Amino acid sequence: MAGIRERARAEVVAEIVRLARVQVAESGAAALSLRAIARDLGMVSSAVYRYFASRDELLTRLIIDSYDRLGVAAQAADDAVRRRGDFAARWRAIAAGIRQWAVDNPAEYALLFGTPVPGYAAPLDTIGPASRYTGVLLALLADVQAGGRVPSDAAANLPQQLLVDVAALCGRLDLAIDDDLLAAGMVAWANVMGAISLELFGHLHNVIDTPCSLFEAVVVEHTGRLFPGTAAPIS
Amino acid sequence: MAGIRERARAEVVAEIVRLARVQVAESGAAALSLRAIARDLGMVSSAVYRYFASRDELLTRLIIDSYDRLGVAAQAADDAVRRRGDFAARWRAIAAGIRQWAVDNPAEYALLFGTPVPGYAAPLDTIGPASRYTGVLLALLADVQAGGRVPSDAAANLPQQLLVDVAALCGRLDLAIDDDLLAAGMVAWANVMGAISLELFGHLHNVIDTPCSLFEAVVVEHTGRLFPGTAAPIS
DNA sequence: TCACATACGAGAGCAGTGCTCTTGCTTTCG
DNA sequence: CGAAAGCAAGAGCACTGCTCTCGTATGTGA
């Protein structure tokens, strides 16, 4: 039994989320208005509260969905080149996939990686979906590890504390990745996200004419470090 | 002639800005309320509009001030070690100074580097103050250049387009810095800001226990690249 | 099948927001 | 000294999130 009422409810919820996403894409998350959604839906504003207890709850739902979409994009980028088995190519593809998703969905990216809404503590529901896109990168590192990588001197200059933290993370997530490789991966991840944020949030205006070139520089830089011997410059 | 009225006006403006900054620090920029400021000031809300034409104008003023403070912090960090003439130490000091300012003033940092307010195009007034903190880094690079640096192979893996963009920037700002050095500096800058953003916006929670270790890794990484031969690991 | 419980939409209303306009009063300047 | 400009106050508009109540429609257990 589908439950007629349940189906109807699910449809309304989906429609609310859809309209909310449109609104966020057009005017940003700060301008998200339950009343505007209600109007678009032909409902009175209080009726919307039957489906979402508050504006924050709707925002949380949007964040979860966006994390999911980002994860899917990253995974798709990896899948597209995985069969070739070239680790460096996979790294470049995943990074480029993340950036492309961000460029295509700037408002959603801002929702995830921009200023946290004040007083809005990201609920625990978001950490699961949030780990989806990072999981793609971790899977790559795990494959590198499984492929019998040669320990490099990448960790030589890493702060001791970072290796400690990474070891703790390794234990927490039960990862089969060497500390130095994981640490190098974390730095690479941080640098990639940083380059994307700088670009999308407008801090490269009048600085770098083609922001993607800075991004590529960052990606290439870590390609050589993460996968020694396979680095190749991108024109 | 001080102009009694002018002095009074300047004082009121300063008080508004002060209260606004407190409010931003406590509740975030999104919660900035002209009415609340008016209440704290013992004025009626419409009176505030004598001093700032709109909420956005007040926000712009806050942004400019924050950029200024960040610039001062970066400059002070540089000054503290400059007489030693050690480029690598200056780089580390400036980077650490920027991060420390961000950690001490998270709301202001979010104001500058977080999600751009939708529909709010950063006015031209902000680009001057914005270039103040980057100017500290550029000055360091210029000093390195003037010190007769040995061209390294840092640019070997850089995308060609980045060097083109950097050359354009060089011409625009009339900088006496080699393209490859400036490009490497841009990447270092992007990575540093990215690490700070990731940390301050909460994306390292449950990932890295001591976020500053990731930051230090990023800084050290570029120390070796920007100032060959002077790299020293930080425990 | 009937009665009960639940879900739902509508409406009014509260407290808050940014912003505008008008009304007087005060300070400044020609 | 009088005109002009600056200023604070108040009322008001349109909007927001959210709460409450009130009928009605819907699904379920007896």
Side-chain angles (χ1 to χ4, degrees):
Chain A
M1 275 312 116
I4 295 214
R5 211 162 204 172
E6 281 178 41
R7 288 186 73 93
R9 182 179 179 86
E11 273 177 32
V12 174
V13 166
E15 188 64 5
I16 289 176
V17 170
R18 194 186 65 81
L19 290 173
R21 189 173 304 282
V22 170
Q23 215 178 93
V24 166
E26 284 175 353
S27 325
L32 179 64
S33 158
L34 282 189
R35 287 185 113 110
I37 292 176
R39 273 193 301 273
D40 288 356
L41 226 76
M43 283 204 295
V44 87
S45 75
S46 60
V48 178
Y49 285 84
R50 295 275 171 200
Y51 302 92
F52 290 94
S54 69
R55 183 177 173 276
D56 274 5
E57 197 176 295
L58 177 55
L59 260 180
T60 299
R61 168 63 182 267
L62 291 181
I63 290 176
I64 291 175
D65 282 12
S66 291
Y67 268 127
D68 243 28
R69 292 169 182 235
L70 173 57
V72 167
Q75 185 67 63
D78 187 16
D79 289 344
V81 300
R82 175 145 45 176
R83 55 184 177 77
R84 285 169 42 195
D86 179 351
F87 295 139
R90 284 176 62 188
W91 155 249
R92 283 194 296 262
I94 296 170
I98 292 175
R99 173 176 174 275
Q100 195 56 52
W101 182 87
V103 170
D104 291 341
N105 308 277
E108 294 188 44
Y109 181 84
L111 195 60
L112 301 182
F113 298 99
T115 313
V117 178
Y120 169 84
L124 297 178
D125 322 4
T126 63
I127 69 170
S131 61
R132 186 160 175 179
Y133 85 99
T134 53
V136 177
L137 289 169
L138 288 177
L140 170 59
L141 293 183
D143 286 353
V144 171
Q145 182 76 44
R149 76 182 198 102
V150 284
S152 72
D153 60 347
N157 278 349
L158 289 178
Q160 201 59 36
Q161 183 60 48
L162 180 62
L163 293 174
V164 172
D165 287 355
V166 158
L169 179 70
C170 223
R172 225 177 301 144
L173 300 184
D174 199 25
L175 299 172
I177 305 175
D178 284 345
D179 292 348
D180 62 329
L181 178 60
L182 183 52
M186 302 273 334
V187 173
W189 164 68
N191 288 355
V192 162
M193 303 312 293
I196 296 175
S197 288
L198 233 49
E199 172 183 354
L200 284 197
F201 295 164
H203 292 275
L204 299 183
H205 280 166
N206 288 98
V207 180
I208 297 281
D209 299 320
T210 50
C212 68
S213 66
L214 181 70
F215 173 80
E216 301 229 336
V218 172
V219 171
V220 170
E221 167 192 342
H222 288 287
T223 306
R225 186 152 327 125
L226 290 171
F227 320 102
T230 57
I234 302 181
S235 64
Chain B
M1 275 309 118
I4 294 214
R5 211 162 204 173
E6 280 179 41
R7 288 185 73 92
R9 182 180 179 86
E11 274 177 31
V12 174
V13 166
E15 188 64 6
I16 290 175
V17 169
R18 195 186 63 83
L19 290 173
R21 189 173 303 282
V22 169
Q23 214 177 95
V24 166
E26 284 175 354
S27 324
L32 180 65
S33 159
L34 280 190
R35 288 184 114 109
I37 292 176
R39 273 194 300 273
D40 289 356
L41 226 76
M43 283 204 294
V44 87
S45 75
S46 60
V48 178
Y49 285 83
R50 294 271 166 200
Y51 302 92
F52 290 94
S54 68
R55 185 177 173 275
D56 274 6
E57 196 175 297
L58 177 54
L59 259 180
T60 300
R61 168 64 181 266
L62 291 180
I63 290 175
I64 291 174
D65 282 12
S66 291
Y67 267 128
D68 243 28
R69 292 169 180 235
L70 173 58
V72 168
Q75 186 66 64
D78 188 17
D79 290 343
V81 300
R82 174 145 46 175
R83 55 185 177 76
R84 286 168 43 194
D86 179 350
F87 295 139
R90 284 177 63 188
W91 155 249
R92 283 194 296 261
I94 296 170
I98 292 175
R99 173 177 174 274
Q100 194 57 50
W101 182 87
V103 169
D104 291 341
N105 309 276
E108 294 188 44
Y109 180 84
L111 196 60
L112 301 182
F113 298 99
T115 314
V117 178
Y120 169 84
L124 297 178
D125 322 2
T126 63
I127 70 170
S131 62
R132 185 160 176 180
Y133 87 99
T134 53
V136 177
L137 289 168
L138 288 177
L140 170 59
L141 293 184
D143 286 354
V144 170
Q145 182 77 44
R149 77 182 198 102
V150 285
S152 71
D153 59 347
N157 278 349
L158 289 178
Q160 200 60 35
Q161 182 61 48
L162 180 62
L163 293 174
V164 172
D165 288 354
V166 158
L169 179 70
C170 223
R172 226 176 301 144
L173 300 184
D174 199 24
L175 299 172
I177 305 175
D178 284 346
D179 291 348
D180 61 329
L181 178 60
L182 183 51
M186 301 273 336
V187 173
W189 164 69
N191 288 354
V192 161
M193 302 313 293
I196 296 175
S197 287
L198 233 48
E199 171 183 354
L200 284 197
F201 294 164
H203 291 277
L204 299 183
H205 279 167
N206 289 98
V207 180
I208 298 281
D209 299 320
T210 51
C212 67
S213 66
L214 181 70
F215 174 80
E216 300 230 337
V218 171
V219 172
V220 170
E221 167 192 343
H222 288 287
T223 306
R225 187 152 327 126
L226 290 171
F227 319 102
T230 57
I234 301 181
S235 62

